């Protein structure tokens, strides 16, 4: 039981960090960013390039991922999503654009980094062993702690900084925030940049554990959408809750259902369909309409 909880917390921390970026973008712009998983992969490859190919420290690679993805997110929002949101009244337009961006980033990743699995050497060696109840490598513990610290830093930024409060006001009521003097264009761009940066940071963190490859973008996006559906679309606390719930479900499933083959996600999807049929707005979301 202790091992299941420890694995669930480790998975939940990284999943929550992924979902935060996606739900921030959705809450600010009502855009489902299908390219979120590709941004995660791109961040992992940036860290790999800086650490392995350039020989710089891991922390430098992590900062490089954050900066590159923040700039990428700002450029994508400024020159792609902002014009479409401004000119089109149909939600399908942004969905198609997001899908196009995802395919484009896949092509860019293939061109720049190739399709092979890449990874970064362990940043911490050794294994934690608590009386054979919890066994976990120290690098996973470190990555989990860093993910939790980043979540806490994000919550503090959104609650106590001027920029964070402006983003919250924009997410709650776009028109009212604009009437109160909030620069909608500027904070939408900043929010998209921050969401992309969070994806890049998770990719940079996990490249030391799972590695990264071209095919990870789609499954990562699906998991991110699962989390915001569980917690409630556009709700920050819901994204965090959804991440930890999915982490725990995956940990329990991989432990309990391993004897029946690889059916963990079959059970998770079936459970999610039943849950959404009962509560379509998620745990913390408001009823649609």
């Amino acid at each position: 039981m202790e091992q299941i909880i420890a694995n669930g917390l480790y998975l939940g921390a990284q999943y929550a960090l992924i979902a935060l970026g996606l739900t921030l973008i959705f809450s600010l712009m009502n855009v489902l960013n299908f390219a979120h998983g590709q941004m995660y992969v791109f961040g992992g490859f940036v860290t790999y390039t800086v650490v392995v190919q350039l020989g710089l420290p891991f922390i430098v690679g992590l900062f490089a991922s954050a900066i590159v993805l923040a700039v990428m997110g700002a450029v994508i929002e400024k020159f792609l999503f902002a014009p479409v949101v401004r000119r089109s009244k149909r939600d399908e337009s942004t969905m198609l654009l997001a899908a196009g961006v995802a395919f484009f980033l896949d092509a860019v990743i293939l061109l720049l980094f190739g399709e092979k699995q890449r990874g970064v050497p362990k940043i911490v060696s050794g294994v934690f062993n608590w009386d054979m109840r919890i066994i976990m490598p120290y690098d996973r513990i470190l990555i989990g702690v860093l993910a939790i610290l980043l979540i806490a830093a994000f919550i503090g930024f959104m609650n106590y900084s001027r920029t964070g409060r402006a983003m919250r006001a924009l997410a709650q009521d776009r028109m009212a925030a604009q009437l109160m003097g909030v620069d909608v264009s500027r904070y939408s761009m900043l929010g998209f940049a921050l969401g992309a940066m969070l994806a890049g940071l998770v990719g940079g963190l996990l490249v030391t554990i799972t590695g990264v490859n071209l095919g990870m973008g789609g499954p990562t996006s699906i998991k991110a959408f699962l989390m915001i559906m569980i917690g409630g679309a556009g709700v920050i606390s819901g994204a965090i809750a959804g991440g930890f719930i999915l982490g725990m479900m995956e940990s329990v499933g991989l432990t309990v259902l391993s004897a029946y083959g690889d059916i963990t996600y079959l059970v998770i999807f079936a459970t999610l369909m039943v849950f959404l049929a009962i509560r379509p707005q998620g745990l913390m979301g408001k009823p649609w309409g």
Side-chain angles (χ1 to χ4, degrees):
M1 177 60 71
E2 293 90 346
Q3 185 69 54
I4 293 175
I5 294 174
N7 290 338
L9 290 175
Y10 162 72
L11 292 170
Q14 56 181 273
Y15 288 167
L17 198 56
I18 295 173
L20 278 177
L22 183 62
T23 202
L24 175 64
I25 293 170
F26 179 80
S27 65
L28 291 176
M29 303 180 62
N30 200 31
V31 168
L32 290 172
N33 182 24
F34 293 115
H36 203 69
Q38 281 72 15
M39 292 176 175
Y40 159 88
V41 173
F42 203 97
F45 274 117
V46 170
T47 299
Y48 160 78
T49 301
V50 171
V51 175
V52 176
Q53 296 188 346
L54 300 182
L56 297 175
F58 174 75
I59 191 67
V60 176
L62 202 58
F63 274 112
S65 292
I67 294 170
V68 170
L69 268 295
V71 172
M72 178 190 292
V75 170
I76 289 174
E77 194 283 333
K78 180 72 173 179
F79 296 104
L80 294 178
F81 281 102
V84 171
V85 170
R86 187 166 54 248
R87 296 172 187 170
S88 177
K89 303 299 181 183
R90 297 173 63 90
D91 291 338
E92 301 93 285
S93 301
T94 57
M95 294 173 66
L96 289 172
L97 175 59
V101 171
F103 288 124
F104 173 76
L105 289 180
D106 272 335
V108 171
I109 292 169
L110 179 61
L111 178 66
L112 295 179
F113 307 109
E115 59 183 5
K116 293 183 179 180
Q117 179 86 3
R118 306 293 184 185
V120 172
K122 288 181 177 293
I123 53 177
V124 179
S125 59
V127 177
F128 174 79
N129 187 342
W130 179 50
D131 197 25
M132 298 300 292
R133 295 181 179 181
I134 299 177
I135 301 175
M136 184 171 287
Y138 283 120
D139 57 343
R140 293 198 176 197
I141 296 174
L142 177 61
I143 296 303
V145 170
L146 288 175
I148 292 173
L149 290 176
L150 286 171
I151 293 171
F154 175 83
I155 294 172
F157 173 80
M158 293 298 292
N159 284 328
Y160 301 110
S161 72
R162 182 177 179 180
T163 302
R165 290 196 296 267
M167 289 182 187
R168 288 172 59 202
L170 184 59
Q172 290 173 7
D173 194 321
R174 191 179 185 89
M175 184 62 68
Q178 191 170 11
L179 293 174
M180 293 297 292
V182 175
D183 189 337
V184 172
S185 299
R186 179 190 177 205
Y187 286 106
S188 294
M189 183 181 70
L190 288 175
F192 205 105
L194 181 58
M197 184 186 76
L198 289 174
L201 281 172
V202 183
L205 288 172
L206 293 185
V207 73
T208 65
I209 306 294
T210 60
V212 67
N213 62 64
L214 179 64
M216 295 176 68
T220 302
S221 292
I222 291 173
K223 285 186 178 182
F225 283 116
L226 275 176
M227 289 177 271
I228 66 171
M229 289 166 64
I230 292 171
V235 183
I236 299 294
S237 55
I240 298 172
F244 280 99
I245 289 172
L246 181 62
M248 286 295 178
M249 291 176 69
E250 188 171 323
S251 178
V252 171
L254 291 173
T255 303
V256 177
L257 302 176
S258 59
Y260 303 97
D262 191 14
I263 64 169
T264 298
Y265 268 92
L266 176 64
V267 174
I268 290 177
F269 275 113
T271 304
L272 179 63
M273 286 189 291
V274 174
F275 169 73
L276 291 177
I278 299 171
R279 190 173 176 82
Q281 70 269 29
L283 286 173
M284 301 181 184
K286 294 181 180 179
W288 298 108

